[in-house]
Amino acid sequence: MLALGDITAGYGETTVLREVSLWVPPASVVALLGANGAGKTTLLRVASGLCRPRSGTVRMDGADVTGHRPHVTARRGMCHIPEGRGVFPHLSVRENLAIHAAGGDADETVDRAVSAFPVLGSKLGQQAGALSGGQQQMLALSRAYLTDPCYVLLDEVSMGLAPVVVDEIFEFLTGLRRQGCALLLVEQYVTRALAVADYVYLLSRGRVEFAGEPGELDAEQLTARYLGTDHGN
Ligand code: ATP
């Protein structure tokens, strides 16, 4: 279980999260929804250790990891895929993937990534920055597959991508979950997020306004009231 308890956090004088508690059970999908600026990204940053909370606790499988640096939470099985394309644009696709070999066999690591996202197989020699947006996101997401995490934090990974690519990404996420990963999903496509989620949290101005199962929410109402346009995806 990834458990955030009574998290208060912010930047400088600004308080962004106020006493937020959230649980991600093993092998579950939790959708974290809320309007722009509600604090979703900040919550993921607190969970992975990129942002130290002012108060509250972060626990992974019972161990207190509050304020632990991201490389420490990563070693414990946390994988944070941040907003934007988390790739090294000047390195080749192969080099980007080989980074995750962690002293193991780079070729095997590359093969595994290609099995998850076959399109990367024909691009291995290309600079990552020259890939399409969708291919860069697949490259970034392959980290979640290669590092065998227990908890994957996903920040708007389908942002700006064509619907067909978003389909592929959601299939990948469903596969991760089948393998036993738990996912904490910040996603602009509310309908898609709710379709795969076991639990949903709605953040409003840094507070949890709703926590429960997706079926308890009226998606249309939710979209209209809190999230603006859902782009129909
Ligand atoms: P969005 O959907 O727009 O990404 P969000 O729900 O993810 O929104 P956050 O990115 O967590 O929200 O931002 C919450 C608030 O914190 C916003 O008002 C934002 O301007 C502010 N904020 C975010 N990062 C910083 C920072 N590094 N320094 C100062 N303020 C920040």
Side-chain angles (χ1 to χ4, degrees):
M1 175 87 84
L2 170 64
L4 282 75
D6 281 329
I7 296 289
T8 294
Y11 306 94
E13 304 272 285
T14 313
T15 301
V16 174
L17 299 173
R18 298 167 195 275
E19 297 170 349
V20 171
S21 294
L22 173 147
W23 291 267
V24 183
S28 67
V29 177
V30 175
L32 177 59
L33 306 178
N36 287 345
K40 305 175 299 291
T41 294
T42 304
L43 190 70
L44 298 193
R45 291 169 59 85
V46 167
S48 68
L50 281 168
C51 175
R52 179 185 281 272
R54 286 193 204 132
S55 59
T57 54
V58 181
R59 290 181 179 275
M60 288 178 75
D61 304 319
D64 189 343
V65 296
T66 316
H68 287 200
R69 304 300 299 157
H71 66 278
V72 177
T73 58
R75 272 206 299 271
R76 284 187 170 272
M78 185 96 77
C79 176
H80 184 173
I81 306 289
E83 201 172 347
R85 318 274 180 245
V87 301
F88 295 100
H90 299 299
L91 297 184
S92 70
V93 170
R94 183 189 300 282
E95 287 163 340
N96 267 275
L97 293 170
I99 290 167
H100 306 303
D105 186 335
D107 287 341
E108 192 186 314
T109 301
V110 170
D111 287 349
R112 280 190 72 200
V114 171
S115 73
F117 292 116
V119 68
L120 296 180
S122 60
K123 311 277 178 188
L124 292 174
Q126 276 191 22
Q127 277 202 340
L131 298 178
S132 71
Q135 290 161 355
Q136 287 189 43
Q137 192 60 277
M138 290 175 196
L139 181 56
L141 279 168
S142 57
R143 180 157 60 89
Y145 183 67
L146 297 173
T147 57
D148 294 321
C150 304
Y151 301 100
V152 183
L153 316 178
L154 299 136
D155 200 348
E156 307 270 22
V157 291
S158 64
M159 175 90 90
L161 302 180
V164 62
V165 179
V166 179
D167 286 345
E168 196 172 341
I169 284 176
F170 268 80
E171 264 173 48
F172 171 76
L173 298 181
T174 309
L176 277 186
R177 191 263 195 83
R178 265 200 306 273
Q179 287 171 22
C181 283
L183 312 180
L184 178 54
L185 186 62
V186 172
E187 178 55 55
Q188 60 169 335
Y189 293 132
V190 174
T191 315
R192 283 181 186 255
L194 292 178
V196 296
D198 301 297
Y199 305 101
V200 55
Y201 286 76
L202 185 61
L203 271 189
S204 177
R205 297 184 185 174
R207 290 187 192 277
V208 174
E209 185 157 306
F210 172 88
E213 295 183 11
E216 297 170 49
L217 272 175
D218 178 333
E220 272 181 32
Q221 216 179 15
L222 168 83
T223 302
R225 183 158 167 212
Y226 296 102
L227 305 170
T229 311
D230 187 28
H231 308 294
N233 275 286

